[in-house]
Amino acid sequence: MPSALFIYHTGHLDSNGGGVQACSREYFAELEVAGFQLTPVEIPSDRRLLTRLRRRIWADPYSSWTDFDDAVRRVLAADPHPEWVFINQHYLGPLAPLLQRVLPAHTRYVMLSHGLESTDYLHEMREIGEGPGASATAARKLMLGQRLVQEARHLRAFDHVFCLSDFERGIEHWLGASRVTMIPRTVTPAPLDWRPEGMRLGFVGTIDHYPNREGLLLFLREYGQLGGRGEVRVVGGPASSGKALASEHRSVRYLGPLSNELLEQEARTWSCFLHPIFCYARGASTKLATPLAWEIPVATTTTGQRGYRWTEGRLPTADTPRDFALLADSMLEPSRAAEAREEVRKVARSSPTIEEIGALMRSALGIG
């Protein structure tokens, strides 16, 4: 088995957490199935006073969060002669050229991308449903350009990049990566005892994350104008954002964050899981795996399906807020929801397995 280091930020292999943890654990499991003997190397946040002060002034993810001298020491202590180095997430990417100076020349480097930092930063500059507004400051424009330059610089040190969506494969190539392979999400079926009640539609997510916030707001505005029949039950935080949604949109019932057990009890009563994403956020849409695993009806968008591949079934899809509102309301009809559920089942059960992804990784890296 080839010896390999799996370098990741503190907490990103935890069994709980959100999309970052889910994708990190998937990458780790897939590499193990691919035949790598992985040694995890955990890199903490840089908590030095001077670094924290610098973050307040200029919060650059590629230089403000990691003590790279300490990271190099941790890597050397774990294994000074690895055959492979897998770096989890782009903001640890600047570590690769530093390791090239101290590790053997034969060591190969692979980026396990969750998406580029520049991609979501651009979304933070956008108006709701629009491009960057006229109010975008010169400092923010400079920060965006700096991130792109840093990404192009550290990508030169990598022999291969694994990424989570087709559109990001193109961006990685544009920034200079020579070899890029898209790694589709896996889905592990865990069906709920689906018993919809009343006229419930459900949403789960971090409400102030820009792509989630934008998609939910655009949908709710259209749903209100449409006179939608359903109650939109919103799960997630922060509470201030959820309460604001409930006060501004009569269709919203804010439930707050829920434990996994309570969320499953709640979701089994929904006619449909709503997944309104109208922009190309970075990485894969990790949240989509949840209703697919539960095998309950879902309404999504083309951009909401990024990062997934399957061979059977079609997900109910609408690509404008108006069409999405109409689709969501149609899911309140029992026959329409039942039909959608059957398609979701087909999608979930024809998605790639971890074993198939492991074989894809071996092939991409030229390992026989």
Side-chain angles (χ1 to χ4, degrees), residues 239-299:
S240 57
S241 298
K243 291 175 181 177
L245 281 175
S247 67
E248 295 166 8
H249 301 275
R250 64 176 181 80
S251 62
V252 171
R253 169 121 182 237
Y254 178 57
L255 304 180
L258 297 178
S259 67
N260 289 340
E261 181 180 358
L262 290 177
L263 176 57
E264 290 183 3
Q265 292 177 13
E266 167 66 26
R268 66 191 287 270
T269 71
W270 295 345
S271 292
C272 182
F273 185 111
L274 302 177
H275 186 49
I277 300 292
F278 299 106
C279 66
Y280 280 90
R282 74 177 188 172
S285 189
T286 55
K287 184 172 53 178
L288 183 61
T290 300
L292 295 183
W294 287 342
E295 297 185 358
I296 64 173
V298 59

Side-chain angles (χ1 to χ4, degrees), residues 326-348:
L326 290 167
L327 173 62
D329 212 54
S330 75
M331 289 294 179
L332 297 171
E333 301 295 336
S335 61
R336 178 71 178 94
E339 176 187 326
R341 189 192 189 200
E342 290 305 311
E343 292 299 306
V344 168
R345 280 175 165 166
K346 294 176 186 176
V347 169

Side-chain angles (χ1 to χ4, degrees), residues 1-3 30-38 358 362:
M1 297 175 70
S3 65
E30 290 157 355
L31 288 168
E32 284 192 316
V33 168
F36 290 95
Q37 185 176 345
L38 295 176
R362 289 184 65 85

Side-chain angles (χ1 to χ4, degrees), residues 38-57:
L38 295 176
T39 299
V41 181
E42 188 175 34
I43 306 298
S45 295
D46 188 348
R47 303 297 299 168
R48 292 174 298 176
L49 177 60
L50 185 59
T51 306
R52 284 184 285 164
L53 290 173
R54 188 166 64 243
R55 278 201 295 264
R56 284 180 172 270
I57 300 169

Side-chain angles (χ1 to χ4, degrees), residues 11-12 28 35 43 52 59 82 95 130 158 166 234 242 245 248 314 347 356:
H12 287 180
F28 194 93
I43 306 298
R52 284 184 285 164
L95 182 58
E130 304 291 341
F158 287 91
D166 285 315
V234 175
L245 281 175
E248 295 166 8
R314 296 181 63 183
V347 169
E356 290 170 336

Side-chain angles (χ1 to χ4, degrees), residues 33 350-361:
V33 168
S350 66
S351 295
T353 64
I354 286 182
E355 290 73 21
E356 290 170 336
I357 299 301
L360 172 63
M361 286 178 157

